[in-house]
Structures are given as structure tokens and as C-alpha cells.
Amino acid sequence: MRGLKGPGKGGSRNSKPRYLFRLILFIAGGVTVAWLVTAITHIVQTHQRQDQAQNYYAVNQDVSVYDTREDVQTAVPIREEETPASAGAAFTSEVNSKVKCPPNRRPYHVLLTAQSSTYQDWQARIMYYHFKKQRRLNPCTEMVNFTRLVSSKDGLPDALADEMPSIFTKSIDERDLATKYGGFGVLNRPKSVVEMVNTPWMMERIPEEYVFVAETDHVLFKDIPNLATETMPAGYKFGYMQKNSAFNQIIKRHWPQGAWNMTDQTGPSPLIIHKKQLIQVAQPWLDISLALKQDPEADHSFGWVLEMWGYVIAAASIGIKHTVLDHFQIEPANLNRLAPDFWKDFYIYHYTYGIEYTLHGAPMMNTIGEWSLDKRHYGSSYPPKNLQLPPAEGVAKTNAAATWLTSAFNEATAHTDNWPTNPTLGTVGCAPAATPPSAPS
């Protein structure tokens, strides 16, 4: 009965510590049980995700690829009805023996780098449509096969896995991406390439000797020949990747033997490169990109093109020099004045910039236009079908790029199965219309 006595006499001195100790044990036990339940649940879910991925790839292991041997020089046109896609598989197509192709043809594989998100999914579908269109129009194309290289959570297949040939790699851990790398998701591109080149079964799905590294916001104007050689990749001349002596110390920190004037004015996409060189550059491209992001000066100086600098520094550090082409692609914006046949001078439309006009065709700068075509409007939903064309007056009338891109979107969405129908705003309505000027009195 001693332990039940109240304050004052008879052992009350020890009762509080004893009860406190028991309370601590009780709480600790509860926390331990909760932790065990969480851990077991995580393990079960992880195994379920792994099983899902393994089942997906097991079903899609037996695939056919286009034969690119030198003695096989017949065309492989795309049929109107595409075969079901499989993980990283090339198209399964019928050889048309009636079409003879040049004996010096050098086939390459289109590698569309992407992240698994609504934003990049709809872009990938538009890009894939125009790839297939160019394949149909050019039966002797060197652009023979296609794989979407996808960075996804746990490397799991996504909703487009059965629509287009795809390979899935594990994206950077979300917590690491947020805390170490400032949420810079573009770093998943070199990471996915590294995982691909280090995984034999993934590389088996790319039988060609050359690879074209493409982006989801590319639309093909026409067939692209193999612009690379075995020792010299072909890339685009980006205006914002100019050599700059102010970057010398940054470059030397991450490549001690290098200097500011030793990098090429290009980037990792669009890029046609021999597979051996892609394998060589992949790891240093990733390593330098990650290091640059954790370098405050580099992060501030390079900004949103940091991963591109990671690539060019890595390429230069291992002796890769590029053929740098002005005409590989075009990146139009509001103020361009382009003739209707402008597309003949380029291979790719890269819609990295929005195009903004008033409803009377005047450019609108640093704001959303009354008529607006900008991929950033569709970060969480698909753009609708049948977008309204740009105004047929003012500067808009002289910029054929705006009409071309809108028409390319409309064509792709009209011919892509199961394109979502939703109330998302189109090219008109994202910004309030201005009051038209009154007529002079």
C-alpha cells in the first residue's frame, strides 16, 4: 500500500519518477509498433511496385526491331495502324521490298527523353505523331526507330507505356531533388541516360549505331538525315550557350584542365551522336550537372540551362567536339517575321517560348496574350483539340510560325486516339481581351 500513499510521507518521493518511467516505456513501445507497421507497409508496397514493373517488362521482352545491317537496304514504312508499343522496343514493321534505299544509309534511333507527368505526356504524344508522320512520308529515312526514355517514380510504367515504345528509369529521389538540387527536375535526364547505358537489356533495344536525343517539345518539320559522324556529334547552336570568360573559374572548378573557351556552343538536345560517344559522356554529364547544381555560383550563373552546361563541359572534358548547326531547329517567339515556307530551312520546331498577341495581332511582351500559345498553360491538363489560329492581322499575320505550330498541334490531337476532352482554355481566353481602339472622330 506504500505506493498508494499521497504526498507527505511513506515513499511519495519515488512515485512520480516511477510513473514517468512507465509512461516513457508505453510511448516508446507505441512509437516502435507504429514504426514497424510503417516499415512493413513500405516494404510490401515496394515489392508490389517492383513486381508490377517486372511483370510489365516480362510481357514486353519479346520484341522485334528494324534490321539495320548494311546489307539490308529496304525501306520500312510505318503502317497506318501502329503495332502495340512495348518497353523500349523499336517498331514492328513490314519490310517493303519494292522501295530500294541508298546503300550508304546510316540509320539512327530517336531517343525522346521525358519525365512522367501530364505536362510532358501530351508533348510526347504530339512529338510521336509527327515522328510517325515523317516516317510515313520518307520510307528511306535514316530516322528508323523510336524510344521514349522516361524518368518515373520507382521506374514504373506510366499511362503511355502501351501507346509508344518506352523505357522507364528511376527518377532522383524526391526528397534529394528538393533538398540537394533545388527541385531541378531536368537533372533526371542525364540520370536516365546513365541508367540506360549501364543496363544491357535497355541498350539491346537500341540496335542502331547512332542516337538522336530529342525533347518532348520538339515538332519535326521534315525528315532529319544523320548529321553526325562516328567521331563528331551534331548539335544545335544555342544563342544562350555562348562561350563566356566570366564562367572560367566555374568551369575550372569542375574540370581543372579546362577553360571557358573549350566548350562548344550547343547542348544535349537536339543531338545526333554515335552510341559509343553517348556511353562515354553519360556519367560525366550527370556528375558535372549534379556538382554544378550544388555550386552556388554555377547555379546562379547558369540558371535553367545548368544541365546543358553540364553536358558541354563533360563532352569537352573527354575530347568530344560537335558539328554545331544553326538550322537544326528554330525557336520562334512573338516578334519573328517568318514567311509561310520558313520551315523548309530547319528540321525541328522547338516551342520553348510562348507566342503572345492581342486579338488584333500586336505582340504582347512579358504577359499572357489575348491570343496565346504557350506550353506552360498546360502543366496539369492537356491542351484542347482544334485550337483557334492566330489573328490574321498585324505582326501575327507576318509570323507564319504561330500558324504552323497551332496547326501542328491540331493535326496531332485530331489523329491521336483518346486525346482528353476537357474545359481547358485554348489559345483565346487565357488573358482578358483589351478594349479595341475607338475610331477617330
Side-chain angles (χ1 to χ4, degrees):
M1 295 298 293
R2 219 172 142 186
L4 298 177
K5 290 182 179 179
K9 298 182 181 180
S12 60
R13 206 172 31 176
N14 298 324
S15 60
K16 288 185 180 179
R18 185 182 304 120
Y19 292 140
L20 182 61
F21 178 69
R22 290 175 180 173
L23 179 61
I24 292 172
L25 286 178
F26 177 76
I27 293 173
V31 170
T32 302
V33 170
W35 181 87
L36 285 173
V37 170
T38 301
I40 293 170
T41 302
H42 175 75
I43 292 170
V44 171
Q45 290 176 343
T46 300
H47 281 292
Q48 288 174 340
R49 289 194 292 266
Q50 291 173 346
D51 290 343
Q52 182 182 352
Q54 290 170 357
N55 291 337
Y56 173 82
Y57 291 120
V59 169
N60 292 285
Q61 283 288 332
D62 187 15
V63 296
S64 300
V65 296
Y66 170 62
D67 194 337
T68 57
R69 294 172 299 173
E70 292 183 0
D71 59 336
V72 179
Q73 294 297 338
T74 51
V76 185
I78 292 294
R79 297 194 298 270
E80 286 298 324
E81 294 182 4
E82 299 298 334
T83 59
S86 53
F91 293 112
T92 305
S93 305
E94 295 175 350
V95 174
N96 183 352
S97 59
K98 294 181 181 179
V99 180
K100 296 297 181 181
C101 298
N104 60 344
R105 198 159 65 126
R106 297 181 303 136
Y108 65 84
H109 198 109
V110 177
L111 188 69
L112 181 63
T113 57
Q115 297 186 63
S116 184
S117 67
T118 300
Y119 179 61
Q120 292 204 356
D121 284 358
W122 67 258
Q123 295 176 40
R125 297 179 83 184
I126 290 175
M127 195 279 179
Y128 184 53
Y129 167 82
H130 285 280
F131 164 79
K132 293 187 294 181
K133 175 182 176 179
Q134 294 305 325
R135 281 273 315 242
R136 276 194 297 273
L137 295 174
N138 302 278
C140 286
T141 181
E142 294 178 311
M143 185 172 60
V144 296
N145 285 316
F146 179 102
T147 296
R148 184 177 60 120
L149 178 63
V150 189
S151 173
S152 67
K153 183 176 176 58
D154 297 321
L156 291 177
D158 64 13
L160 299 186
D162 294 325
E163 181 174 327
M164 65 186 73
S166 300
I167 289 175
F168 296 90
T169 62
K170 293 182 179 180
S171 57
I172 297 172
D173 177 77
E174 292 179 359
R175 181 177 296 179
D176 286 345
L177 188 66
T179 58
K180 294 182 180 180
Y181 307 115
F184 193 53
V186 184
L187 295 171
N188 279 307
R189 172 161 59 180
K191 182 182 183 302
S192 65
V193 173
V194 167
E195 184 172 340
M196 181 190 74
V197 300
N198 289 325
T199 307
W201 70 261
M202 292 185 183
M203 292 301 289
E204 288 173 4
R205 297 170 189 275
I206 303 177
E208 294 76 22
E209 291 300 311
Y210 293 86
V211 172
F212 167 33
V213 182
E215 295 181 345
T216 56
D217 58 354
H218 287 171
V219 181
L220 304 185
F221 287 125
K222 56 188 177 182
D223 178 44
I224 306 176
N226 189 341
L227 303 168
T229 69
E230 188 171 352
T231 58
M232 188 168 287
Y236 173 63
K237 186 177 182 179
F238 287 96
Y240 40 80
M241 293 297 292
Q242 291 180 336
K243 299 175 184 181
N244 187 337
S245 59
F247 297 158
N248 195 55
Q249 290 305 311
I250 297 174
I251 291 173
K252 291 188 74 67
R253 271 202 302 276
H254 300 279
W255 173 30
Q257 297 78 26
W260 67 273
N261 58 355
M262 296 173 68
T263 60
D264 289 333
Q265 189 179 338
T266 190
S269 180
L271 177 75
I272 302 179
I273 185 170
H274 195 277
K275 198 158 56 175
K276 290 180 182 178
Q277 289 187 313
L278 182 63
I279 293 170
Q280 291 171 346
V281 77
Q283 191 65 55
W285 173 17
L286 173 61
D287 293 343
I288 292 175
S289 296
L290 294 175
L292 288 174
K293 189 62 184 174
Q294 294 186 308
D295 178 335
E297 184 185 1
D299 192 20
H300 175 75
S301 298
F302 295 150
W304 64 275
V305 296
L306 178 146
E307 175 259 355
M308 297 173 66
W309 278 99
Y311 170 79
V312 296
I313 295 171
S317 73
I318 60 175
I320 293 178
K321 296 291 292 180
H322 299 77
T323 299
V324 181
L325 304 169
D326 287 304
H327 64 280
F328 206 154
Q329 67 178 13
I330 186 172
E331 301 175 325
N334 299 12
L335 299 178
N336 289 89
R337 294 175 182 264
L338 295 167
D341 62 350
F342 80 98
W343 60 271
K344 294 180 180 179
D345 296 328
F346 306 93
Y347 292 111
I348 299 168
Y349 191 125
H350 181 207
Y351 53 96
T352 189
Y353 301 117
I355 302 180
E356 317 290 342
Y357 294 117
T358 68
L359 295 180
H360 300 282
M364 296 183 69
M365 308 303 296
N366 303 316
T367 188
I368 297 173
E370 296 164 7
W371 184 94
S372 175
L373 183 57
D374 188 340
K375 63 183 181 180
R376 296 161 189 85
H377 296 327
Y378 309 107
S380 58
S381 61
Y382 276 50
K385 293 183 176 183
N386 197 27
L387 297 170
Q388 182 175 319
L389 294 176
E393 56 182 304
V395 174
K397 184 178 179 180
T398 67
N399 183 9
T403 299
W404 191 95
L405 183 61
T406 309
S407 300
F409 272 42
N410 287 344
E411 180 183 344
T413 59
H415 293 89
T416 299
D417 292 340
N418 302 316
W419 192 270
T421 300
N422 56 49
T424 306
L425 293 173
T427 48
V428 175
C430 292
T435 303
S438 58
S441 56

